[in-house]
């Protein structure tokens, strides 16, 4: 995966490049990462990248010209390093919600696109003409406003990188996370066996893998039903899972 982030605060991405699974993926060459500061492409003594909005109003708007030059530079890097013209993604409150389906779609597109350029806005946003001219897709991590696109960009990168082959020591870990099959994750436990009067469920210590699988599924289903019932509308259950739910209903009704 090839990636370039365009941000006025590239040092924020040290959280991605220097820590955890994402850093290891970069160190092992699974991810080629660049950070590009649009201020490096601004003109004048003050290297301004923002101006007052036309029509008046509060705040400042990021100017199209330095951003366009930064994007063009990123595209040149992509051509030099992977020989592809990668898409530009703008992290924006107006974008499509970045949910599990969206991340999977982006992950599946990587063999064709080779990677992506992520544009991080600031202030009141960026000049609309820049979006019309250069942006291929917009994504939002939720219906709220942040001070910039850096945190959403890190959310997107973390979610993508952990899905790359060989990025995680245990490949099944990513497959069993919340939302992967449409449901929330089940409760997790580790040592000690008892903590402040609360014990680990016996089934998890039984060594009976079929019973553990059944328990985990029922826990996930019930937790999703209680906390996010709308998710269950799109969940496709196997015959075995349907049987487990029927057994649970019979026990409850009996």
């Amino acid at each position: 995966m090839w990636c370039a982030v365009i941000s006025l605060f590239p040092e924020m991405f040290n959280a991605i490049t220097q820590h955890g699974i994402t850093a290891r993926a970069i160190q092992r060459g699974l991810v080629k990462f660049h950070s590009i500061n649009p201020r490096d492409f601004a003109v004048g003594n003050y290297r301004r990248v923002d101006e007052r909005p036309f029509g008046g109003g509060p705040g400042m708007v990021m100017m199209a010209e330095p951003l366009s030059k930064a994007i063009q530079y990123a595209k040149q890097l992509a051509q030099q390093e992977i020989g592809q013209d990668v898409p530009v993604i703008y992290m924006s409150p107006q974008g499509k919600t970045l949910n599990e389906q969206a991340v999977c779609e982006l992950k599946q597109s990587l063999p064709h696109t080779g990677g992506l350029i992520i544009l991080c806005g600031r202030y009141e946003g960026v000049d609309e003409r820049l979006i019309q001219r250069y942006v291929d897709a917009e994504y939002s991590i939720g219906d709220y406003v942040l001070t910039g696109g850096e945190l959403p960009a890190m959310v997107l990168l973390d979610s993508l990188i952990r899905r790359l082959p060989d990025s995680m020591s245990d490949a099944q870990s990513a497959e069993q996370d919340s939302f992967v099959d449409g449901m929330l994750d089940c409760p997790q436990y580790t040592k000690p066996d008892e903590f402040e009067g609360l014990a680990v469920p016996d089934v998890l210590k039984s060594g009976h893998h079929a019973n553990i699988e059944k328990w985990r599924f029922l826990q996930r289903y019930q937790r999703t039903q209680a906390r996010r019932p709308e998710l269950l509308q799109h969940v496709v259950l196997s015959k075995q899972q349907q049987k487990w739910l029927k057994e649970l209903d019979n026990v409850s009704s009996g």
Side-chain angles (χ1 to χ4, degrees), residues 48-54 58-64 123-125:
R48 293 199 62 167
V49 295
D50 62 311
E51 272 292 354
R52 304 287 296 180
F54 279 116
M60 306 292 281
V61 176
M62 295 187 74
M63 301 161 66
Y123 316 122
E124 296 300 312

Side-chain angles (χ1 to χ4, degrees), residues 1 21 27 30 32 57 61 123 150 175 184 206 212 229 233:
M1 174 181 167
I21 290 171
Q27 293 163 5
L30 298 176
K32 180 69 173 178
V61 176
Y123 316 122
E150 285 79 12
E175 296 174 3
L184 303 181
S206 69
I212 292 173
Q233 299 175 13

Side-chain angles (χ1 to χ4, degrees), residues 97-116:
T97 300
L98 187 69
N99 54 21
E100 178 68 17
Q101 180 181 351
V103 173
C104 287
E105 289 172 355
L106 287 170
K107 164 64 171 58
Q108 291 167 2
S109 72
L110 287 177
H112 307 287
T113 63
L116 65 164

Side-chain angles (χ1 to χ4, degrees), residues 21 24 28 30 162 164-174:
I21 290 171
R24 290 197 295 272
R28 293 166 58 193
L30 298 176
R162 70 193 309 277
L164 296 178
D166 302 323
S167 66
M168 299 182 68
S169 57
D170 185 350
Q172 287 187 327
S173 181

Side-chain angles (χ1 to χ4, degrees), residues 141-162:
I141 63 169
D143 294 335
Y144 46 86
V145 178
L146 300 173
T147 56
E150 285 79 12
L151 290 175
M154 283 187 270
V155 170
L156 171 57
L157 285 172
D158 187 280
S159 190
L160 278 176
I161 291 172
R162 70 193 309 277

Side-chain angles (χ1 to χ4, degrees), residues 1 9 28 42 44 61-62 68 77 111-112 128-129 149 157 162 164 170 186 189 196 217 220-221 232 240 243 246:
M1 174 181 167
F9 301 96
R28 293 166 58 193
V61 176
M62 295 187 74
S68 68
L77 283 178
H112 307 287
E128 183 68 20
R129 294 167 296 181
L157 285 172
R162 70 193 309 277
L164 296 178
D170 185 350
C186 63
Y189 299 87
E196 295 187 357
F217 163 73
R220 294 171 64 236
Y221 187 92
L232 294 177
Q240 181 62 70
K243 181 180 178 182
K246 187 174 182 181

Side-chain angles (χ1 to χ4, degrees), residues 16-31:
I16 290 288
T17 61
Q18 298 182 16
H19 303 282
I21 290 171
T22 53
R24 290 197 295 272
I26 293 171
Q27 293 163 5
R28 293 166 58 193
L30 298 176
V31 178

